[in-house]
Amino acid sequence: MPKRTRAGKRPFTCDQCGKSFSQTWHLKDHKKTHTGIKPFACNQCDKRFLRTGDLVKHKRTHTGEKPFTCTQCDKSFSQAGALRNHKRTHTGEKPFTCNECGRSFCRAGDLKQHERTHKEEKPFTCNQCDKSFRRASYLKEHKRTHTEEKPFRCNYCDKRFCWSQNLKEHEITHTGAKPFACNQCEKGFCWAGALKKHIKKTHEGEKPFNCAQCGKSFFQAGHLKEHERTHTGEKPFSCTQCSRSFSHAGNLKVHIRKHTGEKPFTCTQCGKSFSHTGNLKKHKKTHTGEKPFTCVQCGKSFRQAGNLKEHERTHAQRNLPSAPSMAKDVLWQEIVSCIT
């Protein structure tokens, strides 16, 4: 018989670990964690579960079924809890609040993870390198650095990735989608993080990180760190194929494509591929006919800023006096000075 505590919200207590529950069947399910019994097996991958509900949820990873749909944006989810969390992105509701700093979160799991930053608690440890993490999912992702497992495959080019987020970011290079729009200027972004940075930088003007040497301010600590290398000359990112070094990791990544020949940025209209996203952006203007760079002196427009700059030099050259006329002016001045 389950041990019953004093009247309250969780009257049923486990006699092995002292954890309490509001329902007897919750306690019954919990006790299976002590016995290790997992009676419900998946017939597709042999993974086992404590509860039938967990098995049903798991099977959706094989079928791709997403029966829970948001009524505001039609986005679908495989679990009701995921839909419930998603709805808070529309309402702005953050019901889970940290008792130490007052910061609020949409999900209980995010609050739990945040609370570990106050305690410096990292309970999930890698058994290969002893590195510790705040979340079990972070440990799971980290282990792939040892196994080199890449379970996430691109639907467009078959390239594989260790992390689902990297796959998501990569696939945007094929689709060109920008699902995150700024509500102040309607500019679109590929990632939520990029939108957040845009708002802070452009609209809020927040730049809390200052360079101690020149006083220049930045809205991200990472940008300040990159800027400081312009003072120190540090280039910590080295190419293993030609020993060339770079001050930014992104510049090294682009450079390596010269060796590999990789061109991950593909035009959706003609299929032409590029090694750099900026080159794809320039190329797309050949399809749209867009010429956003206009000369202030004659009104002529160009697709690229470099072409405008080159054109502006033609105006500067026209305004300069020619070499023969300059020589004549100097000679005439000498004659006048001799006469007078």
Side-chain angles (χ1 to χ4, degrees), residues 70 72 83-97 103-107 183:
C70 176
Q72 294 191 54
L83 170 60
R84 188 167 55 249
N85 290 333
H86 163 77
K87 282 182 175 179
R88 294 185 184 127
T89 64
H90 296 296
T91 63
E93 182 190 5
K94 294 182 178 181
F96 306 100
T97 303
R103 190 174 173 186
S104 296
F105 299 87
C106 296
R107 297 180 295 188
N183 58 11

Side-chain angles (χ1 to χ4, degrees), residues 72-259:
Q72 294 191 54
C73 69
D74 294 329
K75 194 171 183 181
S76 296
F77 301 87
S78 59
Q79 296 183 30
L83 170 60
R84 188 167 55 249
N85 290 333
H86 163 77
K87 282 182 175 179
R88 294 185 184 127
T89 64
H90 296 296
T91 63
E93 182 190 5
K94 294 182 178 181
F96 306 100
T97 303
C98 176
N99 293 327
E100 293 198 41
C101 68
R103 190 174 173 186
S104 296
F105 299 87
C106 296
R107 297 180 295 188
D110 292 338
L111 170 61
K112 191 174 182 180
Q113 182 199 4
H114 164 77
E115 286 174 337
R116 292 182 184 134
T117 62
H118 295 297
K119 301 172 186 176
E120 296 187 359
E121 180 187 353
K122 293 183 178 181
F124 305 101
T125 303
C126 177
N127 55 13
Q128 294 190 53
C129 68
D130 294 328
K131 194 171 183 180
S132 296
F133 300 87
R134 294 190 184 98
R135 278 190 175 186
S137 59
Y138 292 167
L139 171 60
K140 187 177 179 180
E141 290 177 349
H142 163 77
K143 282 185 174 179
R144 294 185 190 129
T145 62
H146 298 296
T147 63
E148 296 184 356
E149 180 192 4
K150 293 184 178 181
F152 304 102
R153 186 178 66 186
C154 177
N155 293 318
Y156 300 93
C157 68
D158 290 333
K159 193 172 181 181
R160 302 186 75 93
F161 298 87
C162 294
W163 300 285
S164 60
Q165 183 60 30
N166 289 355
L167 169 62
K168 194 174 180 180
E169 291 174 357
H170 165 77
E171 286 188 334
I172 286 171
T173 65
H174 294 292
T175 64
K178 293 183 178 181
F180 303 98
C182 176
N183 58 11
Q184 297 188 56
C185 68
E186 296 183 358
K187 190 173 181 181
F189 297 88
C190 299
W191 305 289
L195 170 60
K196 191 175 180 180
K197 290 174 187 175
H198 161 77
I199 290 171
K200 282 187 176 180
K201 182 180 179 181
T202 308
H203 301 296
E204 296 176 358
E206 181 186 347
K207 293 183 178 181
F209 304 100
N210 300 315
C211 176
Q213 293 193 52
C214 69
K216 193 172 181 180
S217 299
F218 300 86
F219 74 100
Q220 279 190 306
H223 291 171
L224 170 61
K225 192 173 181 180
E226 289 177 351
H227 163 78
E228 286 174 338
R229 293 185 190 127
T230 63
H231 296 297
T232 63
E234 182 189 5
K235 293 183 178 180
F237 305 101
S238 298
C239 177
T240 55
Q241 298 191 50
C242 69
S243 299
R244 192 173 170 187
S245 295
F246 300 87
S247 56
H248 307 299
N251 292 347
L252 171 61
K253 191 175 181 180
V254 172
H255 164 78
I256 286 173
R257 292 182 191 134
K258 292 181 179 178
H259 298 294

Side-chain angles (χ1 to χ4, degrees), residues 2 9-13 20-30:
K9 291 183 179 179
R10 297 185 177 186
F12 305 102
T13 304
S20 298
F21 301 87
S22 58
Q23 303 287 334
T24 53
W25 64 271
H26 286 167
L27 174 61
K28 189 177 179 180
D29 277 349
H30 164 76

